[in-house]
């Protein structure tokens, strides 16, 4: 079969650099890191190779960095229809492999977070519901206390990333520091970096509080009302906000499901009142728009 | 160099281009060979059409009858009565026997069939023979399947008036790669080239994707994602798939399958009606075969009627003085086959869990195959998915073959001006593939339900100081230990530079392309050097041919743990 002979050549070629590339890194790492290392060491290799491997997963799928699962899924399927070997034959094999890898990573929340961290950009989270997972990872065993940067106070001086580069990282988009790995450096370096902060924005917090704090410190999209509002916000005092959120979470966990359902339910009268009110607001908005159009025209 | 065009373009291709694209002669046909029934379909330019045989049948029984002269199959031949098929001269259920060794419980269950199935229980292929003029004439499942495929091919060639070469075949999810090679060999014997082998429920998923695409075109609605649960149960196998469908792309989320089917129910019922039937029939005398046939026909008929009636009367004279007169009701039938139904349930639940889909998120439930008519099967699917009804737009007996024909058209590169072929199936691997490492453990490299095409690699290292050779033994399956899985092949990696144990870096990479060809690559590097120490080995699997039941044992006996590997622990 001539077809299979061709494909063997195609396959064995790109594999060889991957096998080589892996050995540059003596530490065994997880898969996406391997790929990154491959990408880096391939830079002085063939130009075509670089063009293929140099693209990050977002560029590969043609989606924005903050796209949600639905958008990624649609983009993936659209590209699959273009490149899948069923459609273009054996030459689509390599590209489809990359697409599959990119899709798998971006569709799984934990893998995507790792990937985002590895390529050095911060994804702004659209999903506003609290997942219970903290942003930073832990090196070594869990300890009762954890580091947390109050990004509201941070002035982006880079002192902490300078002293403990394995623990802190800079979010270039937001211009402030953040904890990447808890206890990523030895205790002395961490001590120095905490002390070196000119605005004292690095805090020691309880481990249980960490996830809530890290969730709240990420900017959330603000609901817009016409020209007002919109943009991004985060609580001014993150510690106060964390207190109230964890209280809420505790309450939710404490109340059984059906009890909450009864709270959510409203009487027919309430429903009617609410419907009326929202109708009124809508009408008002339309009439305002109408007046404005009239003013412009007339 | 002067005139390469003349030699490159074949005659058929040029005539194809002159005509419209729909008459392009190389459209692959879809074949669904079921354990008991089979059918052929093709994309005729505007839709899928099922081909008919000379007796105007679209769905034919799969069996081959051996006679003095040439054997004849269920496509051309027609028995006047079902009993003739059970006279011992016909081989059927070959799909349950193909590629299995004689220690397999499915082979043992086939011993109560009218033809001869002998086992030695040592891990070789079973002895299969048909009774011709009081002589047991031996054959193999591959041969029987090939004879049958030749008939199907002849039928399709007559119907389409062109030679047929490329086919898309549907296979059960639980088929091992070794069984797949047996199917491919049977096709090669019949002069057919397998373009694609697709698991049966994924063919159904493709048909569903096309139907959804068309309804969207008609309603101009939005192409939102639909989740379908597909349950396919025929005579020999049951399969489950969960697929997400949007815009003509059917993305398989998970697959699950098992070798249980209508045949098991039939045998359970036969045992229920005549408790010592297996002992009576085990010596395969002429009279026993006859009474076995009678019992089989009566039981089969009763199971069919139980799909519509609550209780049926069974009256059969077995000829050897024993008569069976019994009334069987639904509850009795369900109780006798409780294990079969429980297995079906667990398959569906496992598939949903693997796909990470809640039963509430399923848009449509599609039940296909002969056993989908059984009320209990319908009920259990609806109970798991908390639904009141099943998807109705699909013919349960023709769904798989229609999907295969669609895939045949898509993979042959046919375009449809109306967009009916704007389709794609994104398949997943039904079974994990890995190698033996860490002693007797199976270490998966490509896990189950990985999107295809797939490529994964894993690092291993040596277990002994100065170990210069390593044995890479490739298995497929879900068991934690290697001996629970199917052996696919093995090769020896030689010339590893001598080093303390745990130092050489042995990288094993597996690559599956869209046509499901598996390649295993292995390379060695000693840390510090940039080059691979020895040339990378590339092996196309499966490499083993026969007797794979005892092959692994022989390897273990000869080499022990001398050439073992261990996985490299990942540090976080």
């Amino acid at each position: 079969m001539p077809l299979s002979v061709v494909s063997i050549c195609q396959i064995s070629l790109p594999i060889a650099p991957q096998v080589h590339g892996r050995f540059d890194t003596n530490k065994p790492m997880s898969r996406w890191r391997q790929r990154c290392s491959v990408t880096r060491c391939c830079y002085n290799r063939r130009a075509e190779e670089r063009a293929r491997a140099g693209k990050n997963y977002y560029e590969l799928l043609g989606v924005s960095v903050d796209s949600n699962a639905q958008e990624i899924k649609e983009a993936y399927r659209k590209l699959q229809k273009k490149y899948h070997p069923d459609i273009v034959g054996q030459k689509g094999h390599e590209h489809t492999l990359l697409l599959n890898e990119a899709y798998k990573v971006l569709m799984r929340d934990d893998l995507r977070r790792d990937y985002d961290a590895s390529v050095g950009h911060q994804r702004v989270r659209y999903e506003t519901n609290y997942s219970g997972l903290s942003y930073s990872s832990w090196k070594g065993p869990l300890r009762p206390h954890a580091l947390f940067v109050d990004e509201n106070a941070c002035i982006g001086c880079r002192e902490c990333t300078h002293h403990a580069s394995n623990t802190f990282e800079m979010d270039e988009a937001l211009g402030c520091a953040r904890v990447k790995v808890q206890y990523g450096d030895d205790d002395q370096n961490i001590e120095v970096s905490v002390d070196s902060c000119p605005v004292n924005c690095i805090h020691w917090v309880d481990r249980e509080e960490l996830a809530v704090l890290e969730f709240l410190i990420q900017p959330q999209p603000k609901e817009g009302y016409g020209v007002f509002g919109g943009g991004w916000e985060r609580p001014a005092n993150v510690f106060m906000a964390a207190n109230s959120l964890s209280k809420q979470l505790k309450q939710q966990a404490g109340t059984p499901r059906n009890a909450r359902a009864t709270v959510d339910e409203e009487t027919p009268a309430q429903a009617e009142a609410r419907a009326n009110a929202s109708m009124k607001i809508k009408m008002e908005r339309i009439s305002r728009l109408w007046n404005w159009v009239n003013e412009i025209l007339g | 160099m002067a005139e390469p065009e003349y030699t490159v373009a074949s005659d058929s291709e040029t005539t194809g281009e002159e005509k419209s694209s729909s008459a392009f002669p190389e459209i692959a046909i879809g074949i669904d060979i079921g354990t008991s029934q089979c059918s052929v379909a093709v994309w005729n330019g505007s839709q899928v059409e099922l081909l008919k045989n000379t007796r105007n049948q679209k769905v034919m029984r799969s069996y081959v009858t051996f006679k003095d002269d040439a054997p004849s199959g269920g496509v051309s031949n027609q028995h006047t009565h079902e009993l003739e098929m059970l006279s011992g001269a016909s081989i059927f259920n070959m799909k349950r026997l193909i590629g299995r060794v004689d220690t397999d419980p499915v082979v043992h269950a086939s011993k109560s069939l009218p033809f001869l199935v002998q086992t030695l229980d040592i891990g070789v292929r079973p002895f299969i023979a048909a009774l011709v003029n009081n002589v047991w004439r031996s054959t193999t499942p591959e041969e029987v399947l090939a004879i049958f495929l030749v008939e199907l091919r002849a039928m399709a060639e007559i119907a389409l008036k062109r030679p047929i070469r490329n086919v898309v075949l549907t296979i059960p999810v639980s088929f091992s790669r070794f069984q797949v090679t047996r199917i491919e060999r049977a096709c090669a014997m019949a002069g057919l080239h397998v373009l694609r082998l697709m698991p049966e429920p994924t063919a159904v998923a493709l048909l569903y994707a096309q139907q959804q695409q068309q309804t969207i075109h008609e309603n101009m609605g939005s192409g939102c994602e639909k989740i379908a649960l597909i349950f396919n149960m025929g005579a020999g196998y049951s399969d489950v798939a969960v697929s997400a469908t949007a815009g003509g792309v059917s993305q398989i989320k998970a697959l699950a399958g098992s070798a249980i089917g209508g045949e098991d129910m039939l045998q359970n019922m036969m045992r229920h009606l005549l408790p010592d039937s297996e002992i009576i029939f085990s010596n395969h005398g002429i009279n026993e075969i006859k009474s076995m046939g009678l019992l089989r026909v009566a039981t089969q008929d009763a199971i069919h009627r139980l799909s519509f009636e609550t209780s049926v009367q069974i009256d059969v004279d077995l000829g050897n003085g024993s008569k069976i007169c019994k009334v069987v009701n639904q509850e009795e039938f369900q109780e006798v086959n409780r294990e079969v139904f429980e297995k079906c349930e667990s398959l569906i639940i496992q598939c949903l869990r693997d796909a990470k889909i809640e039963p509430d998120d399923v848009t449509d439930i599609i039940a296909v195959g002969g056993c989908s008519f059984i009320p209990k099967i319908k009920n259990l699917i609806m109970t798991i998915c908390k639904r009141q009804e099943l998807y109705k737009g699909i013919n349960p007996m023709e769904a798989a073959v229609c999907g295969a024909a669609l895939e045949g058209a898509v993979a042959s590169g046919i375009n449809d001006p109306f967009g009916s072929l704007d389709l794609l199936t994104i398949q997943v691997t039904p079974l994990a593939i890995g190698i033996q490492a860490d002693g007797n453990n199976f270490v998966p490299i490509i896990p189950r339900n990985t999107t295809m095409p797939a490529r994964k690699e894993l690092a291993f290292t040596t277990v002994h100081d100065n170990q210069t050779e390593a044995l890479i033994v490739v298995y497929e399956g879900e068991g934690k230990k290697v001996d629970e899985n199917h052996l696919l092949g093995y090769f020896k990696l030689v010339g590893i530079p001598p080093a303390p144990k745990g130092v050489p870096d042995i990288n094993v990479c597996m690559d599956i392309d869209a046509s499901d060809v598996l390649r295993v690559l292995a390379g060695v590097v000693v840390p510090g050097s940039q080059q691979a120490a020895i040339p990378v080995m590339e092996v196309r699997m499966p490499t083993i041919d026969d007797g794979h039941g005892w092959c692994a044992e022989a390897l273990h006996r000869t080499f022990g743990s001398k050439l073992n590997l261990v996985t490299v622990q990942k540090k976080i």
Side-chain angles (χ1 to χ4, degrees):
Chain A
M1 279 193 297
L3 192 134
S4 65
V5 173
V6 170
S7 58
I8 286 172
C9 302
Q10 280 180 343
I11 280 161
S12 51
L13 268 180
I15 274 192
Q18 265 196 1
V19 171
H20 293 198
R22 236 208 117 271
F23 304 116
D24 289 353
T25 56
N26 284 334
K27 296 180 275 188
M29 289 191 280
S30 56
R31 192 161 312 287
W32 50 263
R33 273 189 210 270
Q34 280 173 24
R35 189 172 289 281
C36 293
S37 67
V38 169
T39 315
R40 251 175 263 130
C41 67
C42 281
Y43 261 88
N44 43 11
R45 281 172 211 273
R46 281 185 298 157
E48 178 219 86
E49 189 92 351
R50 186 181 55 195
R52 188 172 60 81
K55 262 189 179 178
N56 77 25
Y57 290 164
Y58 293 103
E59 287 166 26
L60 195 73
L61 288 174
V63 292
S64 65
V65 176
D66 51 7
S67 51
N68 60 22
Q70 190 60 39
E71 287 162 355
I72 293 170
K73 220 184 274 181
E74 275 173 23
Y76 169 72
R77 288 192 182 133
K78 217 172 268 172
L79 287 170
Q80 278 282 34
K81 267 192 157 177
K82 232 167 157 178
Y83 293 110
H84 196 276
D86 271 5
I87 289 165
V88 296
Q90 197 61 40
K91 59 180 184 287
H93 182 67
E94 290 298 321
H95 198 86
T96 311
L97 280 175
L98 284 176
L99 286 179
N100 283 345
E101 183 66 30
Y103 178 73
K104 194 187 107 194
V105 169
L106 297 192
M107 284 303 282
R108 276 188 45 189
D109 249 1
D110 49 339
L111 293 180
R112 184 173 175 179
R113 202 169 44 201
D114 286 350
Y115 176 74
D116 284 346
S118 76
V119 295
H121 57 63
Q122 191 53 49
R123 174 165 63 109
V124 185
R125 282 198 288 182
Y126 264 125
E127 60 271 64
T128 44
N129 38 358
Y130 167 67
S131 64
L133 287 168
S134 57
Y135 168 81
S136 54
S137 53
W138 285 74
K139 189 189 174 196
L142 293 182
R143 302 196 207 181
H145 292 286
L147 282 166
F148 171 71
V149 179
D150 183 359
E151 292 173 31
N152 282 329
C154 180
I155 53 171
C157 67
R158 295 173 189 266
E159 277 293 329
C160 52
T161 56
H162 176 70
H163 290 293
S165 58
N166 292 327
T167 307
F168 297 97
E169 65 171 0
M170 276 305 284
D171 184 338
E172 302 296 347
L174 296 174
C176 50
R178 168 172 306 152
V179 181
K180 177 170 64 174
V181 182
Q182 299 288 347
Y183 302 99
D185 298 85
D186 54 32
D187 289 1
Q188 201 191 338
N189 279 349
I190 291 173
E191 201 74 29
V192 170
S193 58
V194 171
D195 290 341
S196 70
C197 182
V199 287
N200 290 331
C201 70
I202 305 172
H203 301 267
W204 288 102
V205 296
D206 283 345
R207 193 179 73 215
E208 289 76 30
E209 287 177 5
L210 186 69
V212 175
L213 283 168
E214 287 186 341
F215 166 70
L216 284 172
I217 203 69
Q218 301 220 1
Q220 301 293 336
K222 212 156 90 180
E223 210 181 328
Y225 308 96
V227 290
F228 302 105
W232 306 86
E233 66 174 350
R234 55 184 168 207
N237 186 338
V238 70
F239 295 100
M240 293 279 280
N243 265 341
S244 65
L245 180 60
S246 32
K247 211 179 282 171
Q248 260 179 32
L249 287 170
K250 247 176 235 156
Q251 270 175 1
Q252 271 178 21
T255 45
R257 218 185 141 73
N258 46 4
R260 213 182 334 149
T262 52
V263 172
D264 288 346
E265 257 173 55
E266 50 189 5
T267 61
Q270 279 172 325
E272 202 190 328
R274 197 170 47 81
N276 280 342
S278 66
M279 185 61 119
K280 216 172 177 180
I281 291 168
K282 258 188 218 155
M283 289 304 289
E284 234 167 74
R285 207 177 286 165
I286 287 171
S287 67
R288 219 186 309 153
L289 198 72
W290 186 241
N291 289 341
W292 177 72
V293 168
N294 276 347
E295 265 174 45
I296 294 220
L297 294 179
Chain B
M1 289 301 284
E3 40 189 14
E5 308 91 58
Y6 296 104
T7 50
V8 169
S10 74
D11 293 350
S12 56
E13 271 176 302
T14 40
T15 49
E17 278 161 31
E18 279 163 20
K19 292 178 195 169
S20 72
S21 68
S22 59
F24 194 72
E26 262 314 311
I27 300 183
I29 60 169
I31 302 181
D32 174 33
I33 309 178
T35 310
S36 77
Q37 293 184 318
C38 76
S39 45
V40 182
V42 70
W43 176 257
N44 69 3
S46 56
Q47 63 186 41
V48 172
E49 180 188 338
L50 264 79
L51 302 181
K52 293 176 183 164
N53 66 3
T54 46
R55 288 189 315 280
N56 223 17
Q57 289 172 313
K58 288 197 281 191
V59 178
M60 292 146 279
R61 297 298 303 267
S62 345
Y63 66 89
V64 169
T65 304
F66 286 82
K67 282 178 279 188
D68 278 333
D69 44 352
S72 65
V75 181
S76 59
N77 187 25
Q78 171 78 332
H79 288 304
T80 46
H81 193 265
E82 181 89 12
L83 268 178
E84 263 181 68
M85 194 179 114
L86 303 168
S87 66
S90 302
I91 308 272
F92 52 93
N93 278 11
M94 45 253 191
K95 203 162 144 190
R96 263 164 85 96
L97 291 166
I98 199 161
R100 287 188 193 274
V101 290
D102 61 0
T103 44
D104 198 313
V106 177
V107 173
H108 280 259
S110 302
K111 281 160 105 175
S112 64
L113 296 176
F115 54 90
L116 194 62
V117 178
Q118 268 185 3
T119 59
L120 298 171
D121 296 322
I122 54 168
V124 291
R125 67 162 68 184
F127 179 82
I128 291 162
L131 189 64
V132 187
N133 290 336
N134 226 3
V135 173
W136 285 115
R137 190 180 284 174
S138 88
T139 182
T140 60
E142 291 91 329
E143 188 185 40
V144 176
L145 193 60
I147 294 167
F148 191 70
L149 281 167
V150 167
E151 285 201 351
L152 280 181
R153 181 185 175 188
M155 176 196 115
E157 287 182 342
I158 291 168
L160 298 174
K161 300 182 184 67
R162 64 172 169 92
I164 304 283
R165 191 166 153 68
N166 291 338
V167 290
V168 173
L169 246 80
T170 59
I171 50 164
V173 169
S174 58
F175 255 28
S176 73
R177 272 169 195 276
F178 179 71
Q179 286 177 298
V180 168
T181 61
R182 301 296 94 180
I183 296 273
E184 277 167 349
R185 173 165 295 185
C187 286
M189 283 160 86
L192 295 169
H193 171 242
V194 181
L195 191 67
R196 286 279 186 282
L197 283 170
M198 58 190 322
E200 276 155 32
T202 68
V204 181
L206 187 63
L207 180 66
Y208 174 75
Q210 193 216 21
Q211 290 185 350
Q212 295 310 310
Q213 180 84 323
Q214 278 173 347
T215 50
I216 287 163
H217 279 305
E218 280 157 22
N219 303 340
M220 297 304 285
S222 63
C224 59
E225 183 183 72
K226 292 199 170 164
I227 309 282
L229 175 91
I230 297 148
F231 182 77
N232 170 43
M233 191 173 185
Y237 293 89
S238 47
D239 313 298
V240 196
V242 173
S243 83
T245 301
V249 179
S250 149
Q251 194 178 350
I252 308 299
K253 294 269 191 186
L255 289 172
S258 169
I260 49 160
E263 179 67 31
D264 294 285
M265 296 194 206
L266 182 63
Q267 287 183 5
N268 289 343
M269 276 306 272
M270 280 166 69
R271 215 173 298 129
H272 177 65
L273 293 170
L274 188 66
D276 49 357
S277 59
E278 267 162 52
I279 303 153
I280 297 172
F281 299 147
S282 60
N283 64 356
H284 276 82
I286 302 287
N287 291 329
E288 280 81 27
I289 291 174
K290 192 175 273 174
S291 42
M292 193 195 312
L294 287 165
L295 179 62
R296 222 182 143 82
V297 171
T299 317
Q300 210 162 357
D301 183 51
I303 293 176
H304 285 171
R305 272 163 41 212
L306 274 174
S307 297
F308 310 102
E309 298 162 35
T310 48
S311 70
V312 292
Q313 168 84 27
I314 296 169
D315 251 323
V316 59
D317 184 354
L318 295 182
N320 52 0
S322 63
K323 271 187 178 177
I324 294 175
C325 282
K326 210 166 182 184
V327 177
V328 179
N329 59 17
Q330 273 292 344
E331 286 73 41
E332 217 172 330
F333 173 69
Q334 285 169 20
E335 186 52 37
V336 167
N337 292 306
R338 200 157 48 102
E339 280 178 23
V340 175
F341 294 128
E342 277 170 4
K343 181 75 195 165
C344 293
E345 269 178 5
S346 70
L347 277 181
I348 297 172
I349 290 166
Q350 181 205 330
C351 196
L352 282 169
R353 199 186 310 132
D354 286 349
K356 299 187 186 72
I357 296 282
E358 292 295 317
D360 297 325
D361 299 332
V362 177
T363 320
D364 283 309
I365 308 160
I366 305 168
V368 294
C371 290
S372 64
F373 292 107
I374 296 172
K376 172 72 182 169
I377 293 282
K378 287 188 199 167
N379 284 342
L380 74 88
I381 307 171
M382 290 192 286
T383 313
I384 293 170
C385 298
K386 300 173 196 147
R387 276 326 134 77
Q388 302 305 317
E389 57 180 6
L390 302 171
Y391 183 71
K392 288 202 181 67
I394 278 181
N395 178 339
M397 300 311 285
E398 297 171 0
V401 73
C402 290
L406 284 175
E407 175 76 14
V410 173
S412 305
I414 311 292
N415 282 317
D416 180 63
F418 303 105
S420 306
L421 283 182
D422 193 14
L423 302 171
L424 178 66
T425 315
I426 301 173
Q427 298 275 9
V428 297
T429 54
L431 294 167
I433 304 164
I435 70 166
Q436 176 181 351
D438 304 338
N440 228 2
N441 287 332
F442 171 70
V443 177
I445 293 180
I446 296 187
R448 180 167 50 132
N449 294 327
T450 303
T451 311
M452 292 206 291
R455 179 184 294 156
K456 306 256 161 162
E457 56 180 43
L458 214 57
F460 296 88
T461 189
T462 52
V463 280
H464 304 291
D465 289 335
N466 296 329
Q467 183 180 346
T468 55
E469 298 183 337
L471 199 61
I472 311 257
V473 192
V474 182
Y475 285 89
E476 176 182 57
E478 292 306 315
K480 291 241 184 304
K481 298 279 173 199
V482 285
D483 39 12
E484 297 159 30
N485 298 326
H486 308 282
L487 178 69
L488 292 183
Y490 46 85
F491 57 91
K492 203 160 77 170
L493 210 56
V494 293
I496 303 170
K501 64 179 175 189
V503 171
D505 204 343
I506 296 165
N507 216 312
V508 180
C509 174
M510 293 199 177
D511 178 286
I512 302 179
D513 72 6
S515 34
D516 205 19
V517 175
L518 168 69
R519 286 186 182 79
V520 181
L521 298 106
V524 187
V525 151
V526 176
S529 70
Q530 295 295 311
Q531 288 286 309
I534 54 168
V536 173
M537 301 270 286
E538 178 182 315
V539 183
R540 191 173 157 161
M541 296 270 169
T543 54
I544 50 156
D545 197 12
D546 236 338
H548 54 299
W550 45 265
C551 190
E553 224 173 278
L555 282 175
H556 187 72
R557 203 168 42 236
T558 315
F559 295 107
S561 67
K562 247 187 345 198
L563 306 181
N564 271 6
L565 289 175
V566 285
T567 46
V568 172
Q569 289 302 313
K570 276 183 191 163
K571 288 169 201 142
I572 302 155

